[in-house]
Amino acid sequence: MKSKKLTMNIVIALVAGIIIGSICDIYADTSLVKGVDQYFFNTVGQIFLNLIFMLVVPVVFVSIVLGVVGVGDPKLLGGIGLKTLVFFLCTTAIAITIAIVLALVVKPGAGHSDLMKSTEVASYQKTLDKQSEGAEAPANQTFDQTLINLFPKNPIESMTQGNMLQVITFSIFIGIGMMVLGDKALVVRQFFEQFNEILMYIISMIMRLFAPIGTFCLVAHAFTGAGLGAIKQLGLYFIVVLAALILHFFLIYGGTIKFIAKDSPIKFFKGFIPAITIGFGGSSSNAALPVSMECTKKMGVRPA
């Protein structure tokens, strides 16, 4: 009952954030709206995101370690990993195909090249350039370098930098070591299990206390800065993106739940609404990861 109430509150907050943010955008030049946007919408929204982000690395690390240990047999681990990789590559390829087909058919950018020359786009590009300074773009990495970068030289540094692939690799090795040692690593396994319980409690607390107001502030801040004017300018682009997401969401993931997991897609979608709204409001799949873990637990996925 509490889960349904929380889900409803998050959805209401999402809609309210769009409405209030769009209204505020009309008066965006006034000092009152600027103050509310900066010191309330942005501040509360970023605090909420930071609370979620602080749990991402610990949740991934602990969950993967326990997941590997829970397999029980190193021989099974390779099969599960291979199936996961194949599923990821297939769904990614399908998603890219859907996006390309829709873009080629609808051509959302036709006749709007002037938008790419706007000051807003130029400013955003400068921000991206600053963020990527000193970092090698993945597209420029060779295949061998990509493989090398999967393995951390310093796992602690990988955690502090949020390098999730290296964190996952390290987690798998720790899990394999604990699985092979068995009872010799029983105390360590109990520590990870108890640590996981603590993390799940913190996630539940953050979601219960901050999720609705955090979602509202994130969305309101985004729409105060962009407003309905941006949606009108890029309306066709928004439609194409949403259409691609909806098709992939319902057809691919819904079909997977129905025919592979043999479960109800509607039940799955309802259970994951909190994670979906956090991902949408924060524009980050990483931010939604701890919430996703909590959603899976509430939906009956057994712990490792």
Side-chain angles (χ1 to χ4, degrees), residues 25-80:
D25 182 63
I26 300 173
Y27 307 98
D29 293 332
T30 64
S31 57
L32 175 61
V33 170
K34 287 181 179 178
V36 171
D37 183 43
Q38 180 179 354
Y39 296 108
F40 180 61
F41 293 161
N42 184 58
T43 301
V44 175
Q46 290 303 314
I47 289 174
F48 174 62
L49 274 186
N50 286 349
L51 288 172
I52 297 295
F53 275 124
M54 79 176 182
L55 297 170
V56 171
V57 171
V59 165
V60 170
F61 179 60
V62 173
S63 298
I64 292 180
V65 169
L66 290 177
V68 172
V69 174
V71 171
D73 186 355
K75 295 179 181 177
L76 294 176
L77 186 62
I80 294 173

Short mmCIF file of all heavy atoms in Angstrom, two decimals, residues 25-80:
data_model
loop_
_atom_site.label_atom_id
_atom_site.label_comp_id
_atom_site.label_asym_id
_atom_site.label_seq_id
_atom_site.Cartn_x
_atom_site.Cartn_y
_atom_site.Cartn_z
N ASP A 25 8.65 29.53 -16.30
CA ASP A 25 9.44 29.91 -17.47
C ASP A 25 8.91 31.19 -18.12
O ASP A 25 9.68 31.97 -18.68
CB ASP A 25 9.43 28.77 -18.49
CG ASP A 25 10.28 29.09 -19.70
OD1 ASP A 25 11.50 29.26 -19.54
OD2 ASP A 25 9.72 29.20 -20.81
N ILE A 26 7.61 31.40 -18.00
CA ILE A 26 7.01 32.63 -18.57
C ILE A 26 7.56 33.86 -17.87
O ILE A 26 7.76 34.92 -18.48
CB ILE A 26 5.47 32.57 -18.44
CG1 ILE A 26 4.92 31.36 -19.20
CG2 ILE A 26 4.83 33.86 -18.96
CD1 ILE A 26 3.44 31.12 -18.99
N TYR A 27 7.83 33.72 -16.58
CA TYR A 27 8.34 34.85 -15.77
C TYR A 27 9.79 34.61 -15.36
O TYR A 27 10.22 35.03 -14.29
CB TYR A 27 7.47 35.02 -14.52
CG TYR A 27 6.00 35.15 -14.82
CD1 TYR A 27 5.15 34.05 -14.71
CD2 TYR A 27 5.45 36.37 -15.23
CE1 TYR A 27 3.79 34.15 -14.99
CE2 TYR A 27 4.09 36.48 -15.51
CZ TYR A 27 3.28 35.37 -15.39
OH TYR A 27 1.94 35.49 -15.67
N ALA A 28 10.53 33.93 -16.22
CA ALA A 28 11.89 33.52 -15.88
C ALA A 28 12.84 34.69 -15.65
O ALA A 28 13.86 34.55 -14.97
CB ALA A 28 12.46 32.62 -16.98
N ASP A 29 12.51 35.86 -16.20
CA ASP A 29 13.39 37.02 -16.07
C ASP A 29 13.18 37.77 -14.76
O ASP A 29 13.97 38.67 -14.43
CB ASP A 29 13.18 37.99 -17.24
CG ASP A 29 13.65 37.38 -18.56
OD1 ASP A 29 14.56 36.52 -18.51
OD2 ASP A 29 13.10 37.75 -19.62
N THR A 30 12.14 37.45 -14.03
CA THR A 30 11.87 38.15 -12.77
C THR A 30 12.79 37.63 -11.68
O THR A 30 13.17 36.45 -11.67
CB THR A 30 10.41 37.98 -12.35
OG1 THR A 30 10.16 36.60 -12.08
CG2 THR A 30 9.47 38.46 -13.45
N SER A 31 13.12 38.50 -10.73
CA SER A 31 14.03 38.12 -9.65
C SER A 31 13.43 37.05 -8.75
O SER A 31 14.14 36.19 -8.23
CB SER A 31 14.40 39.35 -8.82
OG SER A 31 13.23 39.98 -8.30
N LEU A 32 12.10 37.10 -8.57
CA LEU A 32 11.44 36.12 -7.72
C LEU A 32 11.59 34.71 -8.28
O LEU A 32 11.98 33.78 -7.56
CB LEU A 32 9.95 36.46 -7.57
CG LEU A 32 9.11 35.44 -6.77
CD1 LEU A 32 9.63 35.33 -5.34
CD2 LEU A 32 7.63 35.82 -6.79
N VAL A 33 11.29 34.54 -9.56
CA VAL A 33 11.39 33.22 -10.19
C VAL A 33 12.84 32.77 -10.23
O VAL A 33 13.14 31.58 -10.00
CB VAL A 33 10.79 33.26 -11.61
CG1 VAL A 33 11.09 31.96 -12.35
CG2 VAL A 33 9.28 33.47 -11.54
N LYS A 34 13.76 33.69 -10.52
CA LYS A 34 15.19 33.32 -10.53
C LYS A 34 15.62 32.80 -9.16
O LYS A 34 16.36 31.82 -9.07
CB LYS A 34 16.04 34.53 -10.92
CG LYS A 34 15.96 34.89 -12.40
CD LYS A 34 16.86 36.08 -12.70
CE LYS A 34 16.81 36.44 -14.19
NZ LYS A 34 17.64 37.63 -14.50
N GLY A 35 15.16 33.48 -8.12
CA GLY A 35 15.51 33.05 -6.76
C GLY A 35 14.91 31.71 -6.41
O GLY A 35 15.60 30.83 -5.85
N VAL A 36 13.63 31.51 -6.74
CA VAL A 36 12.97 30.23 -6.46
C VAL A 36 13.65 29.10 -7.23
O VAL A 36 13.89 28.01 -6.69
CB VAL A 36 11.47 30.31 -6.83
CG1 VAL A 36 10.83 28.93 -6.76
CG2 VAL A 36 10.74 31.26 -5.89
N ASP A 37 13.99 29.37 -8.49
CA ASP A 37 14.61 28.36 -9.33
C ASP A 37 15.99 27.98 -8.80
O ASP A 37 16.33 26.80 -8.71
CB ASP A 37 14.71 28.86 -10.77
CG ASP A 37 15.29 27.81 -11.71
OD1 ASP A 37 14.89 26.64 -11.59
OD2 ASP A 37 16.14 28.16 -12.55
N GLN A 38 16.78 28.98 -8.44
CA GLN A 38 18.15 28.73 -8.00
C GLN A 38 18.22 28.12 -6.60
O GLN A 38 18.93 27.13 -6.37
CB GLN A 38 18.97 30.01 -8.03
CG GLN A 38 20.42 29.82 -7.57
CD GLN A 38 21.23 31.11 -7.62
OE1 GLN A 38 20.74 32.13 -8.11
NE2 GLN A 38 22.44 31.06 -7.12
N TYR A 39 17.47 28.70 -5.67
CA TYR A 39 17.63 28.32 -4.27
C TYR A 39 16.63 27.25 -3.80
O TYR A 39 16.81 26.71 -2.70
CB TYR A 39 17.50 29.55 -3.38
CG TYR A 39 18.61 30.55 -3.62
CD1 TYR A 39 18.37 31.76 -4.27
CD2 TYR A 39 19.92 30.27 -3.22
CE1 TYR A 39 19.38 32.66 -4.51
CE2 TYR A 39 20.94 31.17 -3.45
CZ TYR A 39 20.67 32.37 -4.10
OH TYR A 39 21.69 33.25 -4.33
N PHE A 40 15.61 26.98 -4.60
CA PHE A 40 14.68 25.93 -4.21
C PHE A 40 14.69 24.77 -5.22
O PHE A 40 15.10 23.67 -4.89
CB PHE A 40 13.26 26.48 -4.05
CG PHE A 40 12.26 25.43 -3.66
CD1 PHE A 40 12.41 24.72 -2.47
CD2 PHE A 40 11.19 25.12 -4.48
CE1 PHE A 40 11.50 23.74 -2.10
CE2 PHE A 40 10.27 24.14 -4.13
CZ PHE A 40 10.42 23.45 -2.93
N PHE A 41 14.25 25.04 -6.45
CA PHE A 41 14.18 23.98 -7.45
C PHE A 41 15.53 23.30 -7.64
O PHE A 41 15.66 22.08 -7.51
CB PHE A 41 13.68 24.52 -8.79
CG PHE A 41 12.26 24.98 -8.79
CD1 PHE A 41 11.79 25.84 -9.77
CD2 PHE A 41 11.37 24.57 -7.81
CE1 PHE A 41 10.47 26.28 -9.78
CE2 PHE A 41 10.05 24.99 -7.81
CZ PHE A 41 9.61 25.86 -8.79
N ASN A 42 16.53 24.10 -7.98
CA ASN A 42 17.85 23.54 -8.29
C ASN A 42 18.52 22.95 -7.05
O ASN A 42 19.07 21.85 -7.11
CB ASN A 42 18.75 24.62 -8.89
CG ASN A 42 20.10 24.07 -9.31
OD1 ASN A 42 20.19 23.15 -10.11
ND2 ASN A 42 21.17 24.60 -8.74
N THR A 43 18.46 23.66 -5.93
CA THR A 43 19.14 23.20 -4.71
C THR A 43 18.55 21.89 -4.20
O THR A 43 19.28 20.92 -3.97
CB THR A 43 19.04 24.27 -3.61
OG1 THR A 43 19.65 25.49 -4.07
CG2 THR A 43 19.76 23.81 -2.35
N VAL A 44 17.24 21.86 -4.04
CA VAL A 44 16.59 20.64 -3.53
C VAL A 44 16.77 19.49 -4.52
O VAL A 44 17.05 18.35 -4.12
CB VAL A 44 15.10 20.90 -3.25
CG1 VAL A 44 14.39 19.60 -2.83
CG2 VAL A 44 14.93 21.95 -2.16
N GLY A 45 16.62 19.78 -5.82
CA GLY A 45 16.77 18.74 -6.83
C GLY A 45 18.17 18.15 -6.84
O GLY A 45 18.34 16.92 -6.92
N GLN A 46 19.20 19.01 -6.75
CA GLN A 46 20.57 18.52 -6.76
C GLN A 46 20.92 17.76 -5.49
O GLN A 46 21.67 16.78 -5.53
CB GLN A 46 21.55 19.69 -6.96
CG GLN A 46 21.51 20.30 -8.34
CD GLN A 46 21.78 19.28 -9.44
OE1 GLN A 46 22.71 18.49 -9.35
NE2 GLN A 46 20.95 19.30 -10.47
N ILE A 47 20.37 18.20 -4.34
CA ILE A 47 20.59 17.46 -3.10
C ILE A 47 20.00 16.06 -3.22
O ILE A 47 20.62 15.07 -2.82
CB ILE A 47 19.97 18.21 -1.90
CG1 ILE A 47 20.79 19.47 -1.59
CG2 ILE A 47 19.91 17.31 -0.67
CD1 ILE A 47 20.17 20.35 -0.53
N PHE A 48 18.81 15.98 -3.78
CA PHE A 48 18.16 14.68 -3.97
C PHE A 48 18.99 13.79 -4.89
O PHE A 48 19.21 12.60 -4.59
CB PHE A 48 16.76 14.87 -4.55
CG PHE A 48 16.07 13.58 -4.91
CD1 PHE A 48 15.79 12.64 -3.95
CD2 PHE A 48 15.72 13.33 -6.23
CE1 PHE A 48 15.17 11.44 -4.28
CE2 PHE A 48 15.10 12.14 -6.57
CZ PHE A 48 14.82 11.19 -5.60
N LEU A 49 19.48 14.36 -6.00
CA LEU A 49 20.32 13.58 -6.91
C LEU A 49 21.61 13.12 -6.23
O LEU A 49 22.04 11.98 -6.41
CB LEU A 49 20.67 14.41 -8.14
CG LEU A 49 19.69 14.41 -9.31
CD1 LEU A 49 20.28 15.17 -10.49
CD2 LEU A 49 19.33 12.99 -9.74
N ASN A 50 22.22 14.00 -5.44
CA ASN A 50 23.45 13.63 -4.75
C ASN A 50 23.22 12.49 -3.76
O ASN A 50 24.07 11.62 -3.60
CB ASN A 50 24.03 14.84 -4.02
CG ASN A 50 24.67 15.84 -4.96
OD1 ASN A 50 24.86 15.55 -6.14
ND2 ASN A 50 25.01 17.01 -4.47
N LEU A 51 22.06 12.53 -3.08
CA LEU A 51 21.73 11.45 -2.15
C LEU A 51 21.63 10.11 -2.88
O LEU A 51 22.05 9.07 -2.36
CB LEU A 51 20.41 11.75 -1.43
CG LEU A 51 20.44 12.87 -0.38
CD1 LEU A 51 19.02 13.17 0.11
CD2 LEU A 51 21.32 12.48 0.80
N ILE A 52 21.07 10.16 -4.09
CA ILE A 52 20.96 8.93 -4.89
C ILE A 52 22.33 8.51 -5.43
O ILE A 52 22.73 7.35 -5.34
CB ILE A 52 19.98 9.12 -6.06
CG1 ILE A 52 18.56 9.40 -5.53
CG2 ILE A 52 19.98 7.90 -6.97
CD1 ILE A 52 17.96 8.25 -4.77
N PHE A 53 23.07 9.49 -5.96
CA PHE A 53 24.38 9.19 -6.54
C PHE A 53 25.36 8.62 -5.51
O PHE A 53 26.22 7.80 -5.86
CB PHE A 53 24.99 10.43 -7.18
CG PHE A 53 24.52 10.69 -8.58
CD1 PHE A 53 23.93 11.89 -8.92
CD2 PHE A 53 24.65 9.72 -9.56
CE1 PHE A 53 23.49 12.13 -10.22
CE2 PHE A 53 24.21 9.94 -10.86
CZ PHE A 53 23.62 11.15 -11.18
N MET A 54 25.25 9.06 -4.25
CA MET A 54 26.20 8.58 -3.24
C MET A 54 26.04 7.08 -2.99
O MET A 54 26.95 6.43 -2.46
CB MET A 54 26.02 9.35 -1.93
CG MET A 54 24.86 8.92 -1.08
SD MET A 54 24.82 9.81 0.49
CE MET A 54 23.39 9.03 1.26
N LEU A 55 24.89 6.52 -3.41
CA LEU A 55 24.65 5.10 -3.19
C LEU A 55 24.96 4.24 -4.41
O LEU A 55 24.96 3.00 -4.31
CB LEU A 55 23.18 4.89 -2.80
CG LEU A 55 22.74 5.55 -1.49
CD1 LEU A 55 21.23 5.46 -1.34
CD2 LEU A 55 23.42 4.91 -0.30
N VAL A 56 25.21 4.86 -5.55
CA VAL A 56 25.35 4.10 -6.79
C VAL A 56 26.50 3.11 -6.71
O VAL A 56 26.32 1.90 -6.93
CB VAL A 56 25.55 5.04 -8.00
CG1 VAL A 56 25.93 4.23 -9.24
CG2 VAL A 56 24.28 5.82 -8.28
N VAL A 57 27.69 3.58 -6.39
CA VAL A 57 28.87 2.70 -6.35
C VAL A 57 28.73 1.62 -5.27
O VAL A 57 28.96 0.44 -5.56
CB VAL A 57 30.16 3.52 -6.16
CG1 VAL A 57 31.35 2.60 -5.89
CG2 VAL A 57 30.44 4.37 -7.40
N PRO A 58 28.36 1.98 -4.02
CA PRO A 58 28.19 0.93 -3.02
C PRO A 58 27.14 -0.12 -3.40
O PRO A 58 27.36 -1.32 -3.20
CB PRO A 58 27.75 1.70 -1.76
CG PRO A 58 28.25 3.07 -1.95
CD PRO A 58 28.18 3.32 -3.42
N VAL A 59 26.02 0.33 -3.98
CA VAL A 59 24.96 -0.61 -4.36
C VAL A 59 25.44 -1.55 -5.46
O VAL A 59 25.22 -2.77 -5.40
CB VAL A 59 23.69 0.15 -4.81
CG1 VAL A 59 22.73 -0.78 -5.54
CG2 VAL A 59 23.00 0.76 -3.60
N VAL A 60 26.09 -1.01 -6.48
CA VAL A 60 26.60 -1.84 -7.57
C VAL A 60 27.63 -2.83 -7.04
O VAL A 60 27.58 -4.04 -7.33
CB VAL A 60 27.22 -0.97 -8.69
CG1 VAL A 60 27.97 -1.84 -9.70
CG2 VAL A 60 26.14 -0.17 -9.39
N PHE A 61 28.56 -2.34 -6.25
CA PHE A 61 29.64 -3.19 -5.73
C PHE A 61 29.08 -4.34 -4.89
O PHE A 61 29.36 -5.52 -5.15
CB PHE A 61 30.60 -2.33 -4.90
CG PHE A 61 31.73 -3.11 -4.29
CD1 PHE A 61 32.62 -3.81 -5.09
CD2 PHE A 61 31.90 -3.14 -2.92
CE1 PHE A 61 33.68 -4.53 -4.53
CE2 PHE A 61 32.94 -3.86 -2.35
CZ PHE A 61 33.83 -4.55 -3.15
N VAL A 62 28.26 -4.01 -3.90
CA VAL A 62 27.72 -5.02 -2.99
C VAL A 62 26.79 -5.98 -3.72
O VAL A 62 26.84 -7.20 -3.51
CB VAL A 62 27.00 -4.34 -1.81
CG1 VAL A 62 26.28 -5.37 -0.95
CG2 VAL A 62 27.99 -3.55 -0.97
N SER A 63 25.93 -5.45 -4.58
CA SER A 63 24.94 -6.28 -5.27
C SER A 63 25.61 -7.30 -6.19
O SER A 63 25.21 -8.47 -6.24
CB SER A 63 23.98 -5.42 -6.07
OG SER A 63 23.26 -4.55 -5.24
N ILE A 64 26.64 -6.86 -6.93
CA ILE A 64 27.31 -7.78 -7.85
C ILE A 64 28.11 -8.83 -7.09
O ILE A 64 28.11 -10.01 -7.47
CB ILE A 64 28.20 -7.00 -8.84
CG1 ILE A 64 27.32 -6.18 -9.78
CG2 ILE A 64 29.10 -7.95 -9.63
CD1 ILE A 64 28.07 -5.37 -10.78
N VAL A 65 28.77 -8.42 -6.01
CA VAL A 65 29.49 -9.39 -5.19
C VAL A 65 28.54 -10.47 -4.68
O VAL A 65 28.80 -11.67 -4.81
CB VAL A 65 30.20 -8.69 -4.01
CG1 VAL A 65 30.71 -9.73 -3.01
CG2 VAL A 65 31.36 -7.84 -4.49
N LEU A 66 27.41 -10.06 -4.11
CA LEU A 66 26.44 -11.02 -3.59
C LEU A 66 25.81 -11.84 -4.71
O LEU A 66 25.50 -13.02 -4.54
CB LEU A 66 25.35 -10.30 -2.80
CG LEU A 66 25.78 -9.69 -1.46
CD1 LEU A 66 24.63 -8.94 -0.82
CD2 LEU A 66 26.30 -10.78 -0.51
N GLY A 67 25.61 -11.20 -5.86
CA GLY A 67 25.06 -11.92 -7.00
C GLY A 67 25.98 -13.03 -7.47
O GLY A 67 25.53 -14.14 -7.77
N VAL A 68 27.27 -12.74 -7.55
CA VAL A 68 28.25 -13.75 -7.98
C VAL A 68 28.32 -14.87 -6.95
O VAL A 68 28.33 -16.06 -7.30
CB VAL A 68 29.64 -13.10 -8.17
CG1 VAL A 68 30.70 -14.17 -8.41
CG2 VAL A 68 29.60 -12.12 -9.35
N VAL A 69 28.37 -14.51 -5.67
CA VAL A 69 28.42 -15.52 -4.61
C VAL A 69 27.16 -16.38 -4.63
O VAL A 69 27.20 -17.60 -4.44
CB VAL A 69 28.58 -14.85 -3.23
CG1 VAL A 69 28.49 -15.90 -2.12
CG2 VAL A 69 29.91 -14.13 -3.14
N GLY A 70 26.02 -15.74 -4.91
CA GLY A 70 24.74 -16.45 -4.92
C GLY A 70 24.63 -17.47 -6.04
O GLY A 70 23.81 -18.40 -5.95
N VAL A 71 25.42 -17.34 -7.09
CA VAL A 71 25.40 -18.32 -8.18
C VAL A 71 25.82 -19.69 -7.65
O VAL A 71 25.26 -20.73 -8.03
CB VAL A 71 26.32 -17.87 -9.33
CG1 VAL A 71 26.47 -18.98 -10.37
CG2 VAL A 71 25.76 -16.62 -9.98
N GLY A 72 26.82 -19.70 -6.76
CA GLY A 72 27.21 -20.94 -6.09
C GLY A 72 28.18 -21.80 -6.85
O GLY A 72 28.94 -22.57 -6.26
N ASP A 73 28.19 -21.69 -8.17
CA ASP A 73 29.08 -22.54 -8.99
C ASP A 73 29.77 -21.67 -10.03
O ASP A 73 29.10 -21.05 -10.87
CB ASP A 73 28.26 -23.63 -9.68
CG ASP A 73 29.14 -24.62 -10.44
OD1 ASP A 73 30.37 -24.40 -10.51
OD2 ASP A 73 28.60 -25.62 -10.96
N PRO A 74 31.11 -21.61 -9.99
CA PRO A 74 31.82 -20.77 -10.97
C PRO A 74 31.51 -21.12 -12.41
O PRO A 74 31.56 -20.28 -13.30
CB PRO A 74 33.30 -21.06 -10.65
CG PRO A 74 33.30 -21.52 -9.22
CD PRO A 74 32.01 -22.26 -9.04
N LYS A 75 31.16 -22.41 -12.68
CA LYS A 75 30.85 -22.82 -14.04
C LYS A 75 29.57 -22.15 -14.55
O LYS A 75 29.44 -21.85 -15.74
CB LYS A 75 30.71 -24.34 -14.11
CG LYS A 75 32.00 -25.09 -13.80
CD LYS A 75 31.79 -26.59 -13.86
CE LYS A 75 33.09 -27.34 -13.52
NZ LYS A 75 32.88 -28.80 -13.51
N LEU A 76 28.60 -21.96 -13.64
CA LEU A 76 27.34 -21.33 -14.03
C LEU A 76 27.51 -19.84 -14.29
O LEU A 76 26.75 -19.24 -15.05
CB LEU A 76 26.28 -21.52 -12.93
CG LEU A 76 25.82 -22.96 -12.67
CD1 LEU A 76 24.86 -22.99 -11.50
CD2 LEU A 76 25.15 -23.54 -13.92
N LEU A 77 28.51 -19.24 -13.63
CA LEU A 77 28.71 -17.79 -13.74
C LEU A 77 28.98 -17.38 -15.17
O LEU A 77 28.44 -16.37 -15.65
CB LEU A 77 29.87 -17.37 -12.83
CG LEU A 77 30.12 -15.87 -12.72
CD1 LEU A 77 28.90 -15.17 -12.12
CD2 LEU A 77 31.36 -15.59 -11.88
N GLY A 78 29.80 -18.16 -15.88
CA GLY A 78 30.11 -17.82 -17.27
C GLY A 78 28.88 -17.85 -18.15
O GLY A 78 28.69 -16.98 -19.01
N GLY A 79 28.03 -18.85 -17.96
CA GLY A 79 26.80 -18.95 -18.74
C GLY A 79 25.87 -17.79 -18.50
O GLY A 79 25.29 -17.22 -19.44
N ILE A 80 25.72 -17.41 -17.23
CA ILE A 80 24.85 -16.27 -16.89
C ILE A 80 25.41 -14.98 -17.46
O ILE A 80 24.68 -14.16 -18.01
CB ILE A 80 24.71 -16.16 -15.35
CG1 ILE A 80 23.95 -17.37 -14.81
CG2 ILE A 80 23.99 -14.87 -14.97
CD1 ILE A 80 23.90 -17.44 -13.30
#
